[in-house]
Amino acid sequence: MNSSLLAIRTLWIREVVRFYRDRSRVIGAIVPPVVFWFLIGSALGGGSGTAGGSNTYLQSLFPGTILLIVLFTAVFSTISIIEDRREGFLQGVLVAPVPRSTIVLGKIAGGATLAFLQALTFLIIAPFVGVPLAPERMPFVLAELWLSACALTGFGFWIAWRMDSTQGFHAIMNLLLIPMWMLSGSVFPISGAPTWLRWIMTVNPVTYCAAALQHGLAVGTSSGLPSPALSFIVTGLFCIAMVAASTWEVGREGRR
Amino acid sequence: MRDLNGEAIQTRQLRHDYPPSAAGKEPRAALRGVDLDVRRTELFGLLGPNGGGKTTLCRILTTALKPSSGTATVAGCGIAENPAGVRRKIGVVFQHPCLDRKLTVWENLLHQGHLYGLRGAALAERIREMLGRVGLSDRANELIENLSGGLKRRAEIAKSLLHRPEVLILDEPTSGLDPGARQDLWNYLRELQKADSVTILVATHLMEEAEKCDRLAIFDKGEVVALGSPASLKSEIGGDVVSIEAQGPEGIREEIRLKFGVEAMLIGNLLHIEWPQGHTFVPALIEAFPGRITSVTISKPSLEDVFIHRTRHRFWQEGVE
């Protein structure tokens, strides 16, 4: 293993260890989406839901909830960048003989791992709430989950790197990420939205993450959704773009 | 073995300006052309008040900050030409701790080792060795956040030395430590310097710490105002320092100049006079100004007097950064 990989791996492991050592983070990333899912799903749902044919709204909202868990975990994990900066850990890494890209890759791999594992713990209950897990679709679902996790962690990293305070980060995240999720087709289908919203939803990369998961879990209607292949490819591009943006951001000299 | 030829650190006309704090304001000069030569295996001090430029210099030498102009080499590597080389050869202890508080001492050192390309049994062995050196062997599995300030600093020193750096750069390493822990840390530094032939550059604003260095550079407003061993710096003042507290110090200052032919410096509300034999001077002084002098002290010159001598102002009067 070369020294860059060793550095990436060590930062990756650190991220995971820190997260699981802090129980409030583990709970904070998974409970709110689940409560949200249950409340909204139950309130709006019942019978033949708004979003889908034969499924209840609770079931239709399932893929979106998984995505929300990924999103929450990714966001929580990138807050650690701001803490690392404030508590000083980052300065030690910045004077170590490793390229700065190792910081980006280590952090994103770490955050994505957490988001992925948190999503899996929720995915396991799918069969108990009437969302069947078809084995032949699982590789697609897991690959999509991993890509989405990397993309959203990358997105969080890109924003967190230049932030000084966690409060500011929360504000931006609420302003950007929650609407991105709301307008991803997870809560209401694209096909039912007014034209201007449909435009926003079409250019929203999170729409494709959501669509891929809806295909993979086969709940809700697939009419009006981008195809599985397109969804997967756009998620991949989203991921690459976010890693590239983060790397570029970190490489900028003369700041701070 | 180590290459002990050449200077450990060399800077030439090193300058750094921080961008203006607001539009229309001047950029703030933190370093104004600094030339330094730190010899191999020397314990070299940077002494100066806050805002004097010490931290900026440390950040430049650790490649965390690019200078506006000028050159510097550390352990034979240019900071601009070969920053990766510099990073491999230096250990850094920052003013603010850079340990991960949520991890144990051992885990912190493990990650640090990995960042420096160390791994496996060799790394574990090295961690054990370093923990032994700083007396933390029995605390290896404790979380950093549960350690006292002094122990944290020790863990940090162990961390910075894991990869056997040639040059150790410490920026105010004792800030926030109690006197016992301070003493402790300086003892470690001395030990290190002897046992491992490490060059140590340490920034401090404390006179008593600066006294312990082999040589030191005194900084003020981004410039080196004095350079040498503590003893040689103090000897340049020659004789004693007489401080006078008096009513109407301005007037007395003028009269002293006329009567004794010596320029007294008014520092705060004290008059400072450097005089070869203080004890012969004081009686004459008291007689010359009966009833107007409230107190007189004679002392051997301290580093603070050297600072005053060179800058003509008090160590702490400048604004804090």
Side-chain angles (χ1 to χ4, degrees):
Chain A
M1 193 175 4
N2 77 21
S3 60
S4 287
L5 286 179
L6 185 67
I8 292 170
R9 196 192 64 167
T10 208
L11 292 172
W12 180 347
I13 292 172
R14 166 177 177 263
E15 211 63 30
V16 175
V17 168
R18 274 177 66 100
F19 185 81
Y20 284 105
R21 208 162 272 179
D22 190 351
R23 193 164 300 154
S24 65
R25 284 193 175 188
V26 180
I27 293 168
I30 200 163
V31 170
V34 173
V35 170
F36 192 72
W37 166 68
F38 190 73
L39 293 181
I40 300 282
S42 306
L44 298 181
S48 198
T50 337
S54 59
N55 298 103
T56 64
Y57 187 66
L58 207 56
Q59 288 156 346
S60 308
L61 201 53
F62 196 85
T65 309
I66 291 189
L67 195 58
L68 192 61
I69 292 171
V70 171
L71 199 142
F72 263 59
T73 317
V75 171
F76 274 133
S77 78
T78 52
I79 284 179
S80 70
I81 293 159
I82 301 166
E83 291 167 355
D84 285 349
R85 193 189 290 287
R86 203 179 50 210
E87 288 168 11
F89 180 81
L90 196 62
Q91 54 184 351
V93 182
L94 288 175
V95 299
V98 292
R100 289 192 162 194
S101 55
T102 57
I103 301 172
V104 179
L105 295 174
K107 275 273 177 195
I108 293 181
T113 303
L114 299 172
F116 183 74
L117 292 177
Q118 295 278 95
L120 280 192
T121 56
F122 186 63
L123 190 62
I124 288 167
I125 70 160
F128 303 103
V129 295
V131 177
L133 296 177
E136 71 277 9
R137 290 209 185 102
M138 279 307 108
F140 177 79
V141 170
L142 297 182
E144 173 63 29
L145 268 182
W146 175 251
L147 271 187
S148 306
C150 287
L152 290 168
T153 314
F155 186 62
F157 186 106
W158 182 45
I159 292 172
W161 184 261
R162 41 192 146 170
M163 305 292 297
D164 293 324
S165 74
T166 52
Q167 290 95 325
F169 184 72
H170 278 296
I172 292 217
M173 282 301 164
N174 285 335
L175 200 71
L176 272 178
L177 277 183
I178 301 299
M180 277 172 91
W181 178 77
M182 298 285 285
L183 298 177
S184 68
S186 297
V187 190
F188 53 87
I190 303 180
S191 49
T195 316
W196 66 274
L197 263 186
R198 213 177 299 169
W199 271 105
I200 296 176
M201 291 167 83
T202 307
V203 298
N204 178 6
V206 181
T207 301
Y208 299 86
C209 306
L213 290 176
Q214 281 168 10
H215 283 298
L217 294 172
V219 287
T221 172
S222 59
S223 72
L225 286 183
S227 73
L230 178 65
S231 303
F232 192 77
I233 289 167
V234 172
T235 312
L237 292 175
F238 182 32
C239 176
I240 291 168
M242 287 303 109
V243 173
S246 300
T247 309
W248 178 78
E249 189 70 38
V250 168
R252 272 164 63 178
E253 287 292 340
R255 306 174 327 108
R256 292 176 198 278
Chain B
M1 255 331 273
R2 291 174 187 284
D3 169 22
L4 297 178
N5 296 318
E7 307 287 348
I9 298 174
Q10 192 167 60
T11 72
R12 287 294 174 266
Q13 283 305 305
L14 209 54
R15 215 192 136 80
H16 190 74
D17 300 293
Y18 285 108
S21 55
K25 287 203 176 162
E26 293 287 300
R28 195 171 62 79
L31 293 178
R32 307 163 192 259
V34 169
D35 294 331
L36 276 186
D37 295 277
V38 178
R39 299 170 196 144
R40 294 273 176 176
T41 75
E42 193 169 35
L43 204 175
F44 193 93
L46 306 173
L47 172 69
N50 295 337
K54 307 183 305 282
T55 294
T56 303
L57 180 59
C58 286
R59 292 187 64 203
I60 289 173
L61 294 178
T62 56
T63 75
L65 184 70
K66 280 188 178 169
S68 305
S69 64
T71 59
T73 58
V74 180
C77 302
I79 54 161
E81 300 78 22
N82 186 7
V86 173
R87 289 170 182 204
R88 265 190 295 276
K89 290 182 171 186
I90 59 170
V92 189
V93 175
F94 298 93
Q95 193 167 0
H96 304 290
C98 72
L99 298 162
D100 188 328
R101 299 183 308 161
K102 298 285 177 198
L103 299 182
T104 65
V105 176
W106 184 274
E107 287 167 332
N108 264 285
L109 293 180
L110 197 65
H111 289 307
Q112 175 80 359
H114 289 158
L115 288 177
Y116 284 79
L118 308 169
R119 75 189 81 179
L123 174 58
E125 183 48 44
R126 178 73 181 151
I127 294 176
R128 264 191 289 275
E129 182 191 337
M130 284 319 301
L131 289 180
R133 287 279 288 283
V134 300
L136 280 175
S137 298
D138 53 339
R139 316 296 288 267
N141 294 318
E142 274 189 50
L143 291 181
I144 293 291
E145 61 186 357
N146 296 336
L147 296 183
S148 71
L151 294 186
K152 273 185 200 144
R153 276 294 173 186
R154 288 202 216 167
E156 196 137 20
I157 301 245
K159 179 180 166 179
S160 68
L161 290 169
L162 211 53
H163 59 289
R164 298 192 167 84
E166 290 179 28
V167 177
L168 182 61
I169 297 174
L170 306 100
D171 187 10
E172 307 263 358
T174 57
S175 68
L177 296 190
D178 60 61
R182 265 178 198 197
Q183 186 58 46
D184 212 40
L185 189 129
W186 276 89
N187 293 343
Y188 279 122
L189 291 185
R190 269 291 177 209
E191 222 176 279
L192 256 175
Q193 183 203 12
K194 288 208 187 79
D196 294 13
S197 314
V198 179
T199 307
I200 301 175
L201 180 79
V202 54
T204 181
H205 62 264
L206 300 171
M207 308 289 169
E208 65 269 27
E209 292 190 346
E211 294 270 3
K212 294 175 184 167
C213 298
D214 296 327
R215 287 199 307 149
L216 57 112
I218 302 185
F219 272 76
D220 184 47
K221 296 177 186 149
E223 281 172 310
V224 177
V225 294
L227 181 78
S229 70
S232 72
L233 286 172
K234 287 185 285 188
S235 72
E236 80 180 44
I237 290 187
D240 300 320
V241 175
V242 179
S243 309
I244 306 160
E245 199 182 323
Q247 289 146 5
E250 283 289 356
I252 290 194
R253 181 177 174 216
E254 186 57 23
E255 289 177 59
I256 287 176
R257 196 171 65 80
L258 294 173
K259 273 199 182 121
F260 298 97
V262 58
E263 194 72 47
M265 278 180 282
L266 182 59
I267 309 291
N269 50 11
L270 286 181
L271 285 168
H272 276 244
I273 302 161
E274 291 161 14
W275 196 266
Q277 272 112 25
H279 63 277
T280 60
F281 179 55
V282 169
L285 195 67
I286 306 261
E287 254 164 61
F289 307 102
R292 292 166 64 191
I293 291 177
T294 14
S295 83
V296 180
T297 47
I298 315 175
S299 53
K300 289 289 165 200
S302 66
L303 285 175
E304 186 160 15
D305 296 315
V306 175
F307 184 87
I308 291 168
H309 178 80
R310 292 293 184 106
T311 65
R312 313 226 138 218
H313 65 78
R314 264 187 309 180
F315 195 73
W316 285 119
Q317 84 175 14
E318 292 306 303
V320 173
E321 203 170 10

